[in-house]
Amino acid sequence: MTTETAPAPAVTPPKPSAVEAIKAGSNYLRGDLAEQLAADTDHLSEDGKQLVKFHGSYQQEDRDARKYRQKAGVGKAYMFMVRLKLPGGKLTPDQYLAVDDLAGRYGNGTLRLTTRQSIQLHGVLKGNLKATVAGINEALLSTLGGCGDVNRNVVCCPAPTGDPARVQMQALADAVAAHLAPHAGKQAYHELWLNGEKVGDPAAVPVEEAEPVYGAVYLPRKFKTAFSLPEDNCTDLLAHCLGFQAVVESGRPVGYNLFAGGGQGQTNSKPDTYPLLALPVCRVDPDEVVSAAEAVVRLFRDHGNRSDRKRARLKYVVHDWGVGRFRQVFERDYWKRPLRPPVDLPISGVDLHHGWHRQRDGRWFLGLSVENGRVKDEGRLRLRSGLRALVSRARCTVRISAQQDLLLGNIAAADRPAVDSLLCEYGIPRPETLPMVRKWSMACPAIPTCGLALTESERALPGIVSQLEGVLDALGLAGEPISVRMTGCPNGCARPFQSEVGLVGRGGTKYTLYVGGDTLGRRLNFELEDSVPVERVVPKLAALFTAFRAERAAGEAFGAYCARVGVDRLRNLTATAGGV
Ligand code: SRM
Ligand code: SF4
C-alpha cells in the first residue's frame, strides 16, 4: 500500500527589496556612477543615489529652500552630505585642519560631529563632490563605507588617557573597521574618486575573492559596532548591532563580552519596528575580536531580512529568534567552536570626558562640549575659528566622542594656559561652566538637510534646553545629569530612545515625548505622550521635575524615578501641564 502525502504548499520567497537589485547589478558599487558624476547635472539617478551612500555620501536638498522653490516652479536645490569613515573618531591636527578647509571650500562652512564619532560636511554641490572626497583622501582619511549596507563607523571610547584597556580597545576598533571595509568596493572607490584607474576586473574573479566577507550584494542593511568599558559607556554599547564590552582585570584588558541585537530606529506606520537593546551573547579573547565581528557580520549577511528594509537590521534577527537560538546558530554555523558565557559586568558609568585630564605620558587632553556637534562660528561663539587656532597652534590631536563632543589631546602642560586663553578669546565655554542638561543633550541635524526629517531638531533643541535650564535651576535640580535627546523623526539618530527624556519629531511642530530611560544607556524609555506641541514640552517636563524633586528616593535619577512611578501617574501629572 502506498500512502500519498499532499505536497507542502509552495512558499514563495519574499521579493527582495529594490536596493538588493541595485547592489547586485552594481559590479561592486560601481554602477554608472562614473558617468553620472561626469555628467553636467545637479543630482544623481535613483540608483546612483543608493550607490553613492556606500562611498560615504547622501544626496540631499536644501529643505529651507523647498517651499519658495516650489512656488517659483524651480526644482529642488540639490546638495550632498559627505560623511567620513573615522574609526574611534581619531584625527591628527593636519587631518582636522584639512577637513575644516574642505568644509569652507566646498561645504556650508560648518563641520558636523556625529553621534558615531565621525564628521559630516553638508551642502556640497554635485560638481564639487569628487574634489571633496579626493581632498579627504589626500589627508589620508576616507569616506568609503561611511554609509551604505556595510559595517559603519566603529565607535570606541576616544579618551586618549593611555590606559591599557582604552589603548587596546582603540586598536581593536581600527582592526575591526579595516577588516570589515568593503574589499572590491575599495577598488571601485579608488577608480571613482581618486586616480580613475581600473585595477583588474572584479567581476572576473569569484565573489568570495572579490568581496570575501560581504559578497556581491553586501549586507541586508547597515551594521553598527561599538566598544566600551563597563564603567564608561560613552558609546552607548547597547544601541549597537554588535558591542564589545571590555573585561578588565587588575588594569589589563583580558577579554570582551560580546553583545548583539541593539538598535534605535522605528517607523511610525510599522508597529513591527521598535528600538531594542543589545543582549549578551558570549565572551571572546582580545585576539578573537576581529574574527568574532566577522562571524556576526556573516550571520547577519545570511539571515537578515532582504525584502523589507524597515526590518532588515540584526536586532530583529536576535529578537525574532530569541537570544538562545541566536547563540545556537552563531556557535554552530559561524563561530564553529563552543561559546564561552559572558562575564556579568553591569554598566556603571558614562564619562563625557569634559575638561582637562592628564594622559599617562604626562601630556594633557581637554574635552569640550559641542552643542549638537555643530562646529560653526555664530555670534560671540566662534567655535570653528577657535578650533582652527587651537589645533594649529597647540598641534593637538582631535578626537570626536559618540556624544558629539570633541577631545583635544597631546597637549604639553606648558601649553595649557595658552589653550585656556584661546578658549576665552573665541568665546568657547569651558565645560565646567555649562549647565548639566546642556552637556547631556544631543540632537540630530533634521531640517534643513535631512530628507527624512518630520520636524526640526538641532535648531529646536537649544531653545528647549535653555528653558529647561531655568526650570531645573528654580527647582534646585541644576546639578542633575539629565539626558535630553531630540530627533526630527523616529529613526533615532541621536539615540533618543535610551535617554531620560526623548523628543521625537512627529510632524510640523509636534513631538512624541519619551521618559524613563537612563543616562548610562542601560534602559529604553517609554512613550509618555504623542503629538505634543513644542510649546507644551517644557511645561510638561516641569510638572514631572517638580514631582521628581518631591518624591524621588535617595540618589534616584530622573529616568529611574519615571520608570518606578509608571506611565499612568506621569500622565496624570502632565495631562494639563502647558494647556490642553
Ligand atoms: Fe542616522 C538615516 C544622520 C546616527 C538611525 N541618519 C540617516 C540620514 C542619512 C538620513 C537619510 O537616510 O536620508 C541622516 C542624515 C542627516 C543629515 O542631514 O546629516 C542621518 N545618523 C545621522 C547622524 C549624522 C546624526 C547625528 O546627529 O550625528 C549620525 C551619523 C552617524 C555616523 O557618523 O555614522 C546618525 N542613525 C544614527 C544612529 C545612532 C547610532 O548609530 O549610534 C541611529 C540609531 C541606531 C540604529 O542604527 O538603529 C541612526 N539613521 C538611522 C536610521 C534608522 C535605521 C533603522 O534601523 O531603521 C535612518 C534611516 C535609514 O537608514 O533609512 C538613518
Ligand atoms: Fe534625519 Fe530622522 Fe535621523 Fe534626524 S533622526 S537625522 S530627522 S533620519
Side-chain angles (χ1 to χ4, degrees):
M1 198 178 82
T2 55
T3 51
E4 276 184 26
T5 46
V11 181
T12 324
K15 195 168 162 254
S17 73
V19 180
E20 291 300 309
I22 296 172
K23 289 184 279 183
S26 74
N27 186 15
Y28 303 100
L29 311 180
R30 286 169 179 78
D32 66 349
L33 272 178
E35 293 75 19
Q36 287 202 52
L37 287 169
D40 184 20
T41 55
D42 60 358
H43 66 285
L44 302 173
S45 68
E46 270 312 306
D47 287 15
K49 230 169 94 175
Q50 293 301 333
L51 285 181
V52 83
K53 293 181 188 178
F54 289 80
H55 297 264
S57 179
Y58 272 77
Q59 180 171 301
Q60 301 185 319
E61 68 168 304
D62 178 352
R63 294 193 54 183
D64 283 343
R66 192 188 274 181
K67 262 196 192 142
Y68 78 77
R69 288 180 71 96
Q70 257 168 5
K71 249 191 207 150
V74 288
K76 293 177 178 178
Y78 288 106
M79 55 191 197
F80 289 76
M81 172 268 270
V82 176
R83 184 186 286 168
L84 272 73
K85 188 85 173 277
L86 212 56
K90 300 189 291 283
L91 296 124
T92 65
D94 288 333
Q95 288 173 332
Y96 179 81
L97 294 171
V99 177
D100 177 89
D101 273 343
L102 292 167
R105 202 167 337 139
Y106 302 123
N108 65 2
T110 74
L111 288 86
R112 182 53 159 71
L113 315 182
T114 76
T115 52
R116 300 196 64 73
Q117 298 182 277
S118 184
I119 300 180
Q120 288 184 178
L121 304 184
H122 286 108
V124 178
L125 298 178
K126 178 169 166 275
N128 291 328
L129 197 51
K130 226 171 151 165
T132 307
V133 175
I136 287 168
N137 281 268
E138 267 163 37
L140 303 182
L141 293 165
S142 180
T143 62
L144 174 64
C147 325
D149 297 345
V150 290
N151 183 48
R152 297 288 187 90
N153 205 37
V154 178
V155 297
C156 175
C157 174
T161 50
D163 65 280
R166 284 191 177 80
V167 168
Q168 186 185 80
M169 284 197 307
Q170 287 158 1
L172 285 172
D174 287 346
V176 169
H179 188 72
L180 295 177
H183 198 81
K186 205 179 282 176
Q187 251 171 266
Y189 184 82
H190 276 257
E191 281 167 37
L192 275 172
W193 307 101
L194 306 178
N195 54 19
E197 267 172 44
K198 199 161 182 190
V199 194
D201 181 5
V205 295
V207 176
E208 55 279 10
E209 265 174 48
E211 201 64 273
V213 180
Y214 294 126
V217 283
Y218 295 84
L219 296 179
R221 197 79 157 78
K222 60 180 92 171
F223 185 87
K224 297 186 171 177
T225 308
F227 285 80
S228 84
L229 287 160
E231 69 278 14
D232 181 10
N233 185 30
C234 66
T235 55
D236 272 332
L237 189 86
L238 305 185
H240 287 78
C241 305
L242 171 63
F244 290 103
Q245 183 193 42
V247 179
V248 181
E249 284 171 11
S250 313
R252 320 266 354 142
V254 294
Y256 289 85
N257 284 329
L258 185 157
F259 285 72
Q264 294 272 292
Q266 64 183 21
T267 304
N268 287 333
S269 56
K270 277 185 71 75
D272 61 346
T273 60
Y274 25 76
L276 287 165
L277 294 182
L279 298 170
V281 174
C282 63
R283 176 191 171 161
V284 295
D285 289 339
D287 63 1
E288 293 174 323
V289 162
V290 173
S291 52
E294 181 186 320
V296 175
V297 162
R298 283 179 184 274
L299 183 153
F300 177 49
R301 178 197 65 192
D302 299 346
H303 295 282
N305 187 328
R306 287 191 185 261
S307 59
D308 177 358
R309 284 184 66 83
K310 298 281 183 205
R311 282 203 109 244
R313 300 294 303 272
L314 183 74
K315 67 179 176 181
Y316 298 118
V317 177
V318 177
H319 183 262
D320 295 352
W321 284 0
V323 72
R325 180 169 163 211
F326 179 86
R327 277 198 194 105
Q328 253 174 21
V329 175
F330 179 61
E331 181 179 60
R332 186 189 64 215
D333 299 341
Y334 296 92
W335 191 235
K336 298 184 177 168
R337 51 194 183 272
L339 290 184
R340 285 180 294 150
V343 187
D344 186 22
L345 287 173
I347 291 171
S348 58
V350 165
D351 194 339
L352 295 179
H353 305 294
H354 287 163
W356 282 108
H357 303 270
R358 198 165 191 272
Q359 299 172 184
R360 286 226 170 172
D361 60 5
R363 296 174 84 83
W364 291 78
F365 77 90
L366 171 67
L368 295 173
S369 174
V370 178
E371 189 154 39
N372 303 323
R374 185 66 68 177
V375 177
K376 63 179 176 187
D377 286 350
E378 193 173 72
R380 278 200 61 251
L381 173 54
R382 290 181 299 136
L383 182 59
R384 182 169 166 226
S385 306
L387 287 174
R388 271 203 77 89
L390 270 166
V391 174
S392 317
R393 289 190 216 166
R395 300 296 303 158
C396 48
T397 55
V398 177
R399 292 193 178 183
I400 297 155
S401 80
Q403 310 284 333
Q404 303 173 321
D405 288 336
L406 207 105
L407 277 53
L408 304 176
N410 228 15
I411 300 173
D415 291 339
R416 282 183 54 180
V419 169
D420 281 334
S421 68
L422 278 173
L423 293 182
C424 212
E425 187 183 329
Y426 286 90
I428 302 170
R430 294 272 300 267
E432 58 274 20
T433 65
L434 289 170
M436 278 290 205
V437 66
R438 195 167 290 269
K439 288 192 281 194
W440 285 91
S441 70
M442 294 208 289
C444 72
I447 301 170
T449 51
C450 178
L452 305 178
L454 305 171
T455 61
E456 293 283 349
S457 177
E458 185 186 317
R459 296 193 294 198
L461 190 59
I464 292 175
V465 165
S466 296
Q467 293 177 55
L468 288 177
E469 280 164 24
V471 170
L472 290 165
D473 225 4
L475 289 169
L477 294 172
E480 293 291 318
I482 295 174
S483 56
V484 181
R485 294 180 180 174
M486 186 177 214
T487 55
C489 85
N491 281 320
C493 297
R495 300 187 290 273
F497 302 115
Q498 267 176 317
S499 50
E500 292 187 293
V501 176
L503 294 166
V504 176
R506 195 67 166 103
T509 55
K510 292 189 175 161
Y511 294 83
T512 310
L513 174 56
Y514 292 81
V515 292
D518 182 18
T519 299
L520 306 190
R522 298 170 296 194
R523 192 172 55 235
L524 291 174
N525 50 27
F526 52 85
E527 182 181 321
L528 184 66
E529 277 189 46
D530 195 11
S531 291
V532 180
V534 69
E535 66 279 6
R536 293 196 197 146
V537 165
V538 174
K540 284 181 189 294
L541 287 171
L544 298 184
F545 292 147
T546 307
F548 164 62
R549 188 184 62 163
E551 300 169 6
R552 74 192 291 195
E556 192 173 39
F558 175 65
Y561 163 79
C562 291
R564 174 169 63 81
V565 302
V567 71
D568 294 342
R569 160 106 179 97
L570 299 174
R571 280 186 184 148
N572 278 337
L573 291 166
T574 57
T576 53
V580 280

